Amino acid sequence: MIIPNVHGITHKPKGGLRNNQPPEEPRKGRNTLPSVEGKEMNKKQIGTATICMAILALLLGAPLSIQPAKGAADIVALKTQNPVVVDGIPSETFWSQTQPTVLSLAGTTVYGGKVPEMWVRAAHDGKNIYILMQWPDTKESRTSGPARRLNLSTPGNLIGQYHANATHYYADAGLVTWWMGAQKPTVIPATNNEMGGSPTRRASLFGWTASDKAELWAWKSSALDMGNPYWPYAGLDVGVTTWHWGDNTGKPYTMPYSAAYQGLFNSTGYWILGDGLLHSKGCQQPGTKNFEVRARGVWNGGMWTLELSRPLVSSPENRPYTLSLESGNTYWAVFGAQDGNKGEWEEVASRSNWVSVELSNDLFPLEKQMQDVVAAAGVASKAAGDAVKSAGDASKVAGDASKVAGDAVKVAADASKAAESSVKAASDASKVAADAAKASESSVKTAGEAAKGADAAAKNSADAQKVSQDALSAAQQAIRAAEDTRKTAEATTNLAYGTIGIAIAAIIVSVVMGLRRRKP
């Protein structure tokens, strides 16, 4: 028997595989499974991831190792913030950060159980859930012959069996049954993917009641998957290249991407979602959406690796028939597989017990540590920014202080200069005061002499007053004499003007008389 690592590379275990018993605690005692070795094409990626993990370990002071996801559930789907490609090649770094949950598988009927064990991991990104399933299969089977039933199961008598040999066999398949009830199911786990409503297709075979229902994903290697021999056609029926019915009738039946069947599984049958998906309307739920479950299976070296994905909440058309998932909650599921080369098909399969699946709010370890590093870097960057700002403020304060000191030095220099000027002024004032004292002495002497002169002047003033009065009286007499002279002169002038007038008149008369005597 062989055991896979996360990349689908296989190796032999050191000890024998466990017997085919359902596990009470699926993760207990399974720390030897699987290692993270990687394909040749992924060595660079693994090396880069290892370096990054080591750097982060040094930064955070915490060792990095692959650990089982913490939680009370059997399978814990941690959260990733990285893009995921559903291609059957688990190259995303987060897949290698947790140990898988190892499930022991049992037959859905006494002729099932050909796949003894399965390794399951889960993740989500807040919008979609991702399931990674790996199981051993010695031979890849991508085609399926007509179903040849040898034994028919009935309720309480699960003896279903199909004919298979080296030339007649069936396609390999991977299965997930999601319980749609609120409590842990008590009914027998089932993965019956025979489509429609015949007695062998009903959950009632396994003790389910009318109120019990589940959402069943059925990935089949021969149809809808990119690896089917007829890709890009769906591969449902050999040679069928157009849609049989529905809105797409007559159009090329090509696949938009690799997918799995999705349907409602209950006590009446298995009802496929997606109008026109099958050749018969009777096996489908009308008015529902196609290809909501993406899936891709890759067989390599005796091991199937299957990736599946579905939105946490289905489309409005499919929502009444599916389980809505929410981060922080726990759900119940059955994981199974069919080895078509060994006669497993539809009713007959290998399946796990009911296992709990928790959608955790926690990030994968490396992403969480990276987030912490980014957050710490943000805090450090802010602190550095604050320090730079503080240094700038301190520099400004120092500059202001330097300016104040410069101003103080200038004021001190001006004060010193003013003090020198004051000393000089005081010296000049002292000299002026001495000169003033000397001038004052001279002034006192001059004042004494002036006083003597004033006495003499007073005496001379009395004499001058008398002379002045006599002069005034003489002046008044002169004025009166001048007035009389003026009047006499005026009379003489008038007399002269009269005399001149008489003389002129006499001349005129004389001229006139002379002129008269000259006439003939």
Side-chain angles (χ1 to χ4, degrees), residues 239-496:
V240 175
T241 59
T242 59
W243 290 78
H244 291 298
W245 60 279
D247 295 338
N248 296 317
T249 301
K251 294 180 181 179
Y253 199 168
T254 55
M255 294 294 295
Y257 42 78
S258 192
Y261 293 104
Q262 176 188 24
L264 174 67
F265 183 48
N266 60 20
S267 61
T268 65
Y270 179 40
W271 309 104
I272 298 300
L273 306 184
D275 265 348
L277 182 62
L278 305 178
H279 60 274
S280 172
K281 293 182 181 181
C283 297
Q284 293 184 248
Q285 191 68 38
T288 52
K289 184 179 178 181
N290 296 315
F291 313 128
E292 192 169 59
V293 177
R294 296 188 179 224
R296 177 73 171 104
V298 174
W299 185 90
N300 181 35
M303 189 68 57
W304 274 110
T305 297
L306 172 63
E307 285 186 302
L308 303 105
S309 171
R310 196 212 76 181
L312 296 184
V313 179
S314 291
S315 63
E317 302 94 326
N318 294 1
R319 206 167 297 164
Y321 315 106
T322 59
L323 176 66
S324 293
L325 304 173
E326 184 178 354
S327 181
N329 291 341
T330 299
Y331 306 91
W332 294 92
V334 178
F335 295 88
Q338 290 174 339
D339 187 339
N341 286 293
K342 296 179 180 179
E344 290 190 319
W345 182 245
E346 297 180 338
E347 173 198 349
V348 181
S350 302
R351 53 80 180 164
S352 72
N353 283 332
W354 290 106
V355 295
S356 54
V357 181
E358 175 191 347
L359 271 66
S360 175
N361 291 314
D362 296 334
L363 289 172
F364 278 91
L366 184 60
E367 293 182 45
K368 176 63 169 64
Q369 292 186 348
M370 182 64 75
Q371 185 182 68
D372 292 343
V373 167
V374 171
V379 171
S381 177
K382 184 178 184 303
D386 293 343
V388 169
K389 183 176 182 301
S390 298
D393 293 342
S395 177
K396 184 175 181 301
V397 170
D400 293 343
S402 177
K403 184 177 181 300
V404 169
D407 293 342
V409 169
K410 185 175 180 299
V411 169
D414 293 341
S416 176
K417 185 176 179 182
E420 292 176 359
S421 299
S422 297
V423 170
K424 185 176 182 299
S427 177
D428 294 342
S430 176
K431 183 178 179 184
V432 170
D435 292 342
K438 184 176 180 181
S440 176
E441 291 178 358
S442 299
S443 296
V444 170
K445 181 178 180 181
T446 301
E449 292 175 352
K452 292 179 180 179
D455 290 340
K459 181 177 180 181
N460 292 335
S461 176
D463 293 341
Q465 184 176 8
K466 183 175 181 304
V467 171
S468 178
Q469 289 177 348
D470 292 343
L472 177 62
S473 186
Q476 290 174 344
Q477 290 177 1
I479 290 170
R480 283 195 294 271
E483 182 66 20
D484 291 342
T485 301
R486 184 188 64 78
K487 289 179 179 180
T488 301
E490 188 177 68
T492 301
T493 300
N494 290 336
L495 179 61

Side-chain angles (χ1 to χ4, degrees), residues 186-264:
T186 57
V187 297
I188 298 173
T191 58
N192 192 336
N193 54 92
E194 188 176 2
M195 301 166 188
S198 70
T200 57
R201 304 170 186 176
R202 300 172 183 172
S204 56
L205 280 175
F206 306 94
W208 295 34
T209 66
S211 61
D212 297 329
K213 58 182 180 179
E215 177 186 354
L216 174 57
W217 301 350
W219 169 81
K220 297 193 175 185
S221 62
S222 60
L224 306 188
D225 184 78
M226 186 181 292
N228 90 75
Y230 308 103
W231 187 266
Y233 298 105
L236 295 174
D237 300 297
V238 177
V240 175
T241 59
T242 59
W243 290 78
H244 291 298
W245 60 279
D247 295 338
N248 296 317
T249 301
K251 294 180 181 179
Y253 199 168
T254 55
M255 294 294 295
Y257 42 78
S258 192
Y261 293 104
Q262 176 188 24
L264 174 67

Side-chain angles (χ1 to χ4, degrees), residues 34-175:
S35 63
V36 183
E37 296 169 3
K39 296 180 180 179
E40 289 297 323
M41 63 177 292
N42 289 318
K43 281 185 177 179
K44 184 176 181 181
Q45 293 176 323
I46 298 300
T48 301
T50 303
I51 292 171
C52 292
M53 293 167 72
I55 291 173
L56 287 174
L58 290 174
L59 288 173
L60 298 176
L64 281 170
S65 59
I66 300 172
Q67 299 292 336
K70 294 181 180 180
D74 300 316
I75 300 172
V76 178
L78 295 176
K79 187 175 183 180
T80 180
Q81 296 176 332
N82 294 323
V84 182
V85 179
V86 180
D87 57 3
I89 303 173
S91 56
E92 291 80 9
T93 305
F94 62 80
W95 286 128
S96 63
Q97 293 178 44
T98 57
Q99 285 279 16
T101 297
V102 184
L103 304 177
S104 292
L105 307 185
T108 54
T109 76
V110 294
Y111 295 102
K114 305 303 182 182
V115 179
E117 288 187 309
M118 177 177 285
W119 295 265
V120 180
R121 292 175 171 90
H124 74 95
D125 60 8
K127 296 180 180 179
N128 303 282
I129 186 170
Y130 303 95
I131 301 294
L132 174 61
M133 301 164 57
Q134 295 176 291
W135 67 91
D137 188 337
T138 56
K139 184 179 180 181
E140 178 183 20
S141 177
R142 286 280 188 180
T143 60
S144 183
R148 296 182 183 177
R149 191 184 296 274
L150 299 179
N151 290 302
L152 181 66
S153 290
T154 57
N157 189 27
L158 300 177
I159 58 172
Q161 181 185 13
Y162 291 92
H163 166 73
N165 57 29
T167 59
H168 189 92
Y169 47 86
Y170 310 99
D172 295 329
L175 310 159

